[in-house]
Amino acid sequence: MHDELHQLFDPDSSTFTYVLVDRAAAEAVLVDSVAQRFDRDVAMLRRLGVTLRYVVETHTHADHVTAAGRLREATGAVTAAPFKCGISRADVQLAHGDTLQFGHAEVLHAIHTPGHTSGSTSYLWRGNVLTGDTLLIEGCGRTDFQSGDAGSLYDSVHERLFTLPADTRVWPAHDYKGNTVSTIGHEKLHNPRLAGRDRASFIELMNNLQLPKPKMIDIAVPANRNLGLTHAA
Ligand code: FE2
Protein backbone atom coordinates (compact mmCIF):
# COMPACT_ATOMS: atom_id res chain seq x y z
CA MET A 1 0.00 0.00 0.00
CA HIS A 2 1.73 3.14 -1.19
CA ASP A 3 -1.21 5.50 -1.09
CA GLU A 4 -3.61 6.40 1.68
CA LEU A 5 -6.75 8.49 1.92
CA HIS A 6 -7.56 9.77 5.40
CA GLN A 7 -10.97 11.23 6.20
CA LEU A 8 -11.25 13.59 9.17
CA PHE A 9 -14.49 15.03 10.57
CA ASP A 10 -15.35 18.34 12.22
CA PRO A 11 -18.51 17.71 14.27
CA ASP A 12 -19.31 21.43 14.67
CA SER A 13 -19.81 21.99 10.93
CA SER A 14 -20.14 18.32 9.86
CA THR A 15 -17.25 18.93 7.46
CA PHE A 16 -14.92 16.26 6.14
CA THR A 17 -11.28 17.11 5.59
CA TYR A 18 -9.21 14.74 3.46
CA VAL A 19 -5.50 13.98 3.54
CA LEU A 20 -4.18 12.14 0.49
CA VAL A 21 -0.80 10.56 1.03
CA ASP A 22 1.90 9.13 -1.19
CA ARG A 23 3.55 7.02 1.48
CA ALA A 24 6.66 6.13 -0.51
CA ALA A 25 7.45 9.79 -1.17
CA ALA A 26 6.13 10.96 2.24
CA GLU A 27 4.10 13.74 0.62
CA ALA A 28 0.48 14.75 1.09
CA VAL A 29 -2.34 16.90 -0.19
CA LEU A 30 -5.02 18.24 2.15
CA VAL A 31 -8.52 19.07 0.90
CA ASP A 32 -11.11 21.30 2.66
CA SER A 33 -9.54 22.24 5.95
CA VAL A 34 -11.44 23.79 8.89
CA ALA A 35 -9.97 26.70 10.88
CA GLN A 36 -10.84 25.18 14.26
CA ARG A 37 -9.09 21.93 13.29
CA PHE A 38 -5.77 23.50 12.29
CA ASP A 39 -3.90 21.95 15.23
CA ARG A 40 -5.42 18.53 14.58
CA ASP A 41 -4.32 18.60 10.95
CA VAL A 42 -0.78 19.80 11.67
CA ALA A 43 -0.39 17.11 14.32
CA MET A 44 -1.64 14.44 11.94
CA LEU A 45 0.79 15.46 9.20
CA ARG A 46 3.57 15.33 11.74
CA ARG A 47 2.51 11.87 12.96
CA LEU A 48 2.37 10.59 9.40
CA GLY A 49 5.79 12.07 8.77
CA VAL A 50 4.71 13.66 5.50
CA THR A 51 5.40 16.98 3.81
CA LEU A 52 2.28 18.86 2.78
CA ARG A 53 2.51 19.89 -0.89
CA TYR A 54 -0.94 21.37 -1.56
CA VAL A 55 -3.87 22.69 0.43
CA VAL A 56 -6.91 22.50 -1.83
CA GLU A 57 -10.49 23.84 -1.64
CA THR A 58 -13.51 22.31 -3.37
CA HIS A 59 -15.36 25.65 -3.24
CA THR A 60 -15.88 28.80 -1.16
CA HIS A 61 -17.58 27.34 1.89
CA ALA A 62 -20.46 29.18 3.53
CA ASP A 63 -20.64 27.17 6.75
CA HIS A 64 -17.10 27.18 8.09
CA VAL A 65 -13.81 29.03 7.66
CA THR A 66 -10.85 27.30 6.01
CA ALA A 67 -7.43 26.86 7.60
CA ALA A 68 -5.74 26.94 4.18
CA GLY A 69 -3.85 30.20 4.70
CA ARG A 70 -2.51 29.15 8.10
CA LEU A 71 -1.57 25.72 6.79
CA ARG A 72 0.40 27.40 4.00
CA GLU A 73 2.19 29.57 6.56
CA ALA A 74 2.91 26.61 8.84
CA THR A 75 4.03 24.07 6.26
CA GLY A 76 5.05 25.92 3.11
CA ALA A 77 2.37 24.09 1.13
CA VAL A 78 0.96 25.68 -2.01
CA THR A 79 -2.72 26.71 -1.84
CA ALA A 80 -5.02 25.81 -4.72
CA ALA A 81 -8.66 26.71 -5.39
CA PRO A 82 -11.07 26.58 -8.32
CA PHE A 83 -10.61 29.74 -10.36
CA LYS A 84 -14.28 30.66 -10.41
CA CYS A 85 -14.49 30.73 -6.60
CA GLY A 86 -13.05 34.22 -6.15
CA ILE A 87 -10.39 32.89 -3.77
CA SER A 88 -7.87 35.32 -5.20
CA ARG A 89 -5.31 34.64 -2.47
CA ALA A 90 -4.83 31.02 -3.59
CA ASP A 91 -1.46 30.39 -5.27
CA VAL A 92 -2.94 28.13 -7.95
CA GLN A 93 -6.26 28.80 -9.69
CA LEU A 94 -7.63 25.52 -11.02
CA ALA A 95 -9.71 25.09 -14.17
CA HIS A 96 -11.50 21.97 -15.43
CA GLY A 97 -8.94 19.37 -16.47
CA ASP A 98 -6.08 20.88 -14.51
CA THR A 99 -3.96 18.56 -12.41
CA LEU A 100 -1.89 18.83 -9.24
CA GLN A 101 1.05 16.48 -8.96
CA PHE A 102 2.59 15.32 -5.73
CA GLY A 103 4.73 12.50 -4.44
CA HIS A 104 6.48 10.31 -6.95
CA ALA A 105 3.73 10.08 -9.54
CA GLU A 106 0.45 11.06 -7.88
CA VAL A 107 -2.01 13.15 -9.89
CA LEU A 108 -5.09 14.93 -8.57
CA HIS A 109 -7.50 15.76 -11.41
CA ALA A 110 -9.76 18.82 -11.15
CA ILE A 111 -13.28 18.24 -12.46
CA HIS A 112 -15.32 21.45 -12.61
CA THR A 113 -18.76 20.54 -11.23
CA PRO A 114 -20.71 23.82 -10.91
CA GLY A 115 -24.14 23.96 -9.33
CA HIS A 116 -23.74 24.26 -5.55
CA THR A 117 -21.57 27.26 -6.43
CA SER A 118 -20.39 28.32 -9.88
CA GLY A 119 -16.80 27.39 -9.01
CA SER A 120 -17.43 24.09 -7.24
CA THR A 121 -14.86 21.51 -8.28
CA SER A 122 -14.48 17.79 -7.58
CA TYR A 123 -11.13 16.02 -7.45
CA LEU A 124 -10.36 12.55 -8.78
CA TRP A 125 -7.48 10.57 -7.34
CA ARG A 126 -6.87 6.83 -7.73
CA GLY A 127 -10.49 5.69 -7.99
CA ASN A 128 -11.64 8.20 -5.39
CA VAL A 129 -13.66 11.31 -6.16
CA LEU A 130 -13.83 14.13 -3.63
CA THR A 131 -17.13 15.72 -4.53
CA GLY A 132 -17.28 18.77 -2.25
CA ASP A 133 -20.91 19.81 -1.85
CA THR A 134 -21.85 18.82 -5.40
CA LEU A 135 -22.71 15.20 -4.65
CA LEU A 136 -23.34 14.15 -1.06
CA ILE A 137 -24.13 10.64 0.17
CA GLU A 138 -27.75 10.14 -0.88
CA GLY A 139 -28.05 13.91 -1.25
CA CYS A 140 -26.51 16.97 -2.87
CA GLY A 141 -25.48 20.49 -1.93
CA ARG A 142 -28.06 23.26 -1.90
CA THR A 143 -28.26 25.54 -4.92
CA ASP A 144 -30.17 28.52 -3.59
CA PHE A 145 -27.38 30.97 -2.75
CA GLN A 146 -23.80 31.90 -3.62
CA SER A 147 -24.16 31.54 -7.40
CA GLY A 148 -25.85 28.17 -6.99
CA ASP A 149 -27.84 26.79 -9.91
CA ALA A 150 -29.90 23.60 -9.77
CA GLY A 151 -29.73 22.92 -13.52
CA SER A 152 -25.95 23.24 -13.48
CA LEU A 153 -25.69 20.85 -10.53
CA TYR A 154 -27.85 18.30 -12.35
CA ASP A 155 -25.68 18.56 -15.46
CA SER A 156 -22.44 18.35 -13.46
CA VAL A 157 -23.53 15.22 -11.64
CA HIS A 158 -24.90 13.44 -14.69
CA GLU A 159 -22.21 14.44 -17.17
CA ARG A 160 -19.09 14.55 -15.00
CA LEU A 161 -19.64 12.35 -11.93
CA PHE A 162 -22.13 9.64 -12.90
CA THR A 163 -19.94 8.96 -15.97
CA LEU A 164 -17.08 7.79 -13.70
CA PRO A 165 -16.68 4.03 -13.15
CA ALA A 166 -19.38 2.62 -10.85
CA ASP A 167 -16.87 1.50 -8.23
CA THR A 168 -15.35 4.99 -7.87
CA ARG A 169 -15.54 5.87 -4.19
CA VAL A 170 -17.43 9.08 -3.37
CA TRP A 171 -16.03 11.23 -0.56
CA PRO A 172 -18.21 14.30 0.10
CA ALA A 173 -17.38 17.53 1.95
CA HIS A 174 -20.20 17.00 4.45
CA ASP A 175 -22.42 14.40 5.97
CA TYR A 176 -25.08 15.01 8.58
CA LYS A 177 -26.14 11.42 9.25
CA GLY A 178 -22.94 9.63 10.20
CA ASN A 179 -22.18 8.28 6.70
CA THR A 180 -18.59 8.39 5.48
CA VAL A 181 -18.29 7.03 1.94
CA SER A 182 -20.37 5.93 -1.03
CA THR A 183 -19.78 4.91 -4.63
CA ILE A 184 -20.80 6.37 -7.97
CA GLY A 185 -22.74 3.18 -8.71
CA HIS A 186 -24.74 3.45 -5.49
CA GLU A 187 -25.54 7.13 -5.97
CA LYS A 188 -26.62 6.61 -9.58
CA LEU A 189 -29.17 4.05 -8.43
CA HIS A 190 -30.21 5.29 -5.00
CA ASN A 191 -29.57 9.02 -4.57
CA PRO A 192 -33.11 10.21 -3.76
CA ARG A 193 -32.61 13.62 -5.33
CA LEU A 194 -30.81 12.56 -8.49
CA ALA A 195 -31.41 8.91 -9.37
CA GLY A 196 -33.97 8.51 -12.12
CA ARG A 197 -35.14 12.12 -11.86
CA ASP A 198 -35.30 14.34 -14.93
CA ARG A 199 -33.70 17.78 -15.03
CA ALA A 200 -36.93 19.77 -14.77
CA SER A 201 -38.20 17.95 -11.71
CA PHE A 202 -34.78 18.22 -10.05
CA ILE A 203 -34.82 22.00 -10.56
CA GLU A 204 -38.36 22.17 -9.19
CA LEU A 205 -37.32 20.12 -6.14
CA MET A 206 -34.22 22.18 -5.43
CA ASN A 207 -35.97 25.52 -5.86
CA ASN A 208 -38.57 24.59 -3.26
CA LEU A 209 -36.42 23.28 -0.41
CA GLN A 210 -36.85 26.53 1.57
CA LEU A 211 -33.73 25.98 3.67
CA PRO A 212 -32.66 28.55 6.27
CA LYS A 213 -29.72 30.81 5.44
CA PRO A 214 -26.46 29.32 6.85
CA LYS A 215 -25.61 31.03 10.13
CA MET A 216 -22.00 31.69 9.20
CA ILE A 217 -22.36 32.74 5.56
CA ASP A 218 -21.69 36.47 6.04
CA ILE A 219 -18.47 35.72 7.92
CA ALA A 220 -17.35 32.54 6.19
CA VAL A 221 -17.54 33.57 2.52
CA PRO A 222 -15.35 36.70 2.75
CA ALA A 223 -12.96 34.92 5.14
CA ASN A 224 -12.62 31.95 2.79
CA ARG A 225 -11.91 34.21 -0.19
CA ASN A 226 -8.91 35.29 1.91
CA LEU A 227 -7.94 31.65 2.69
CA GLY A 228 -9.21 32.16 6.23
CA LEU A 229 -6.53 34.73 6.99
CA THR A 230 -7.38 37.91 8.85
CA HIS A 231 -4.20 39.71 7.78
CA ALA A 232 -3.42 40.97 4.29
CA ALA A 233 -0.18 39.37 3.14
FE1 FE2 B 1 -20.75 24.44 0.54
Side-chain angles (χ1 to χ4, degrees):
M1 187 78 168
H2 294 291
D3 59 290
E4 303 165 6
L5 183 153
H6 298 278
Q7 182 187 54
L8 299 135
F9 187 64
D10 169 44
D12 297 335
S13 63
S14 299
T15 300
F16 289 123
T17 294
Y18 295 95
V19 180
L20 315 180
V21 176
D22 179 345
R23 174 98 332 258
E27 288 190 7
V29 168
L30 192 148
V31 180
D32 284 344
S33 60
V34 175
Q36 289 79 2
R37 305 296 160 201
F38 169 82
D39 291 338
R40 173 200 69 183
D41 294 353
V42 169
M44 181 179 180
L45 294 166
R46 196 174 295 137
R47 270 198 309 276
L48 291 172
V50 294
T51 301
L52 188 61
R53 286 292 170 219
Y54 289 100
V55 184
V56 184
E57 302 291 324
T58 55
H59 64 293
T60 310
H61 304 280
D63 57 354
H64 67 274
V65 175
T66 180
R70 287 178 67 205
L71 285 166
R72 175 174 65 186
E73 291 177 351
T75 68
V78 172
T79 52
F83 83 101
K84 280 192 176 169
C85 285
I87 306 175
S88 54
R89 293 283 299 280
D91 304 309
V92 176
Q93 300 286 327
L94 294 166
H96 180 67
D98 283 354
T99 58
L100 294 176
Q101 304 196 12
F102 67 103
H104 289 145
E106 301 303 316
V107 183
L108 191 72
H109 298 267
I111 306 171
H112 184 214
T113 48
H116 172 62
T117 70
S118 60
S120 287
T121 292
S122 301
Y123 298 99
L124 186 65
W125 178 66
R126 285 185 175 269
N128 302 284
V129 64
L130 279 58
T131 52
D133 289 358
T134 303
L135 179 63
L136 304 180
I137 297 171
E138 296 177 7
C140 67
R142 61 195 290 181
T143 55
D144 58 337
F145 62 79
Q146 241 199 317
S147 71
D149 182 89
S152 299
L153 191 139
Y154 186 90
D155 295 340
S156 292
V157 168
H158 283 272
E159 293 167 14
R160 293 186 166 170
L161 297 178
F162 282 180
T163 50
L164 295 168
D167 62 354
T168 306
R169 291 170 294 285
V170 172
W171 303 96
H174 292 288
D175 192 86
Y176 305 95
K177 297 175 184 167
N179 302 307
T180 56
V181 64
S182 185
T183 62
I184 290 294
H186 177 86
E187 296 305 319
K188 265 168 97 166
L189 285 176
H190 301 294
N191 189 301
R193 287 193 181 167
L194 289 150
R197 191 186 292 275
D198 68 32
R199 194 174 190 274
S201 80
F202 177 75
I203 292 169
E204 164 97 26
L205 171 79
M206 293 305 289
N207 289 349
N208 289 290
L209 291 178
Q210 297 182 327
L211 298 166
K213 183 179 164 181
K215 280 182 234 120
M216 281 197 62
I217 188 167
D218 294 330
I219 296 165
V221 169
N224 285 329
R225 293 220 163 102
N226 207 35
L227 293 174
L229 295 169
T230 50
H231 54 275

